[in-house]
């Protein structure tokens, strides 16, 4: 019912910025909470940020709070992750995910996933 495609990843130097986009398609895509997760080589997937269906609430991992901002454009069924002050530890594949119902930080509760976009931050 929901298809997700991430874009905007790339190579950036420490201190730089990137904006990731997640294009969602489907009749009821705007009714889903949307989240961002990331996975670095050799590490488990971790929560980054999530935004509610009505964009009324957001939540962030402590590691990115104050540096990343999640937002969504309901008219375009697109969610964004604006990332500033990027650090090498932010290097990972970033995944967009969607779920029905309230926001959650548990990846297992998201039913739809994109294929990911690589973000690499050099020292």
């Amino acid at each position: 019912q929901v298809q997700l495609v991430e874009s905007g990843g790339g190579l950036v130097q420490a201190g730089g910025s990137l904006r990731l986009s997640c294009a969602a398609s489907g009749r009821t895509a705007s009714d889903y909470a949307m989240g961002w997760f990331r996975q670095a080589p050799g590490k488990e997937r971790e929560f980054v940020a999530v935004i509610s269906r009505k964009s009324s609430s957001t939540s962030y991992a402590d590691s990115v709070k104050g540096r990343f901002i999640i937002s969504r454009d309901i008219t375009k069924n697109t969610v964004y992750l604006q990332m500033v002050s990027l650090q090498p530890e932010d290097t990972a594949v970033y995944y967009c995910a969607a779920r029905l119902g309230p926001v959650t930080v548990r990846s297992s509760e998201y039913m739809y996933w994109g294929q990911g976009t690589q973000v690499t931050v050099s020292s």
Side-chain angles (χ1 to χ4, degrees), residues 1 6 12-13 26 28 30 39 43 45 53 61 67 87 95-97 102 106 116 118:
Q1 294 181 338
E6 303 97 333
V12 65
Q13 292 183 322
T28 60
S30 62
Q39 187 167 22
K43 298 183 178 180
R45 187 170 299 182
R53 292 170 291 175
R67 298 190 298 120
Q87 303 298 314
Y95 297 91
C96 179
R106 295 183 58 187
Q118 177 72 48

Side-chain angles (χ1 to χ4, degrees), residues 25-43:
S25 61
R27 183 175 298 177
T28 60
S30 62
D31 295 330
Y32 290 76
M34 303 294 295
W36 286 97
F37 295 78
R38 66 186 183 186
Q39 187 167 22
K43 298 183 178 180

Side-chain angles (χ1 to χ4, degrees), residues 46-82:
E46 65 174 344
F47 165 77
V48 175
V50 63
I51 187 167
S52 66
R53 292 170 291 175
K54 302 297 184 181
S55 301
S56 58
S57 64
T58 59
S59 183
Y60 297 90
D62 289 341
S63 60
V64 306
K65 196 171 300 180
R67 298 190 298 120
F68 293 7
I69 297 177
I70 187 171
S71 62
R72 70 192 303 171
D73 186 334
I74 301 299
T75 64
K76 297 193 295 185
N77 287 333
T78 301
V79 63
Y80 305 95
L81 185 68
Q82 179 66 53

Side-chain angles (χ1 to χ4, degrees), residues 86-110:
L86 284 164
Q87 303 298 314
E89 53 265 37
D90 295 316
T91 295
V93 176
Y94 284 70
Y95 297 91
C96 179
R99 75 178 297 269
L100 287 169
V103 299
T104 179
V105 302
R106 295 183 58 187
S107 61
S108 62
E109 297 185 12
Y110 287 79

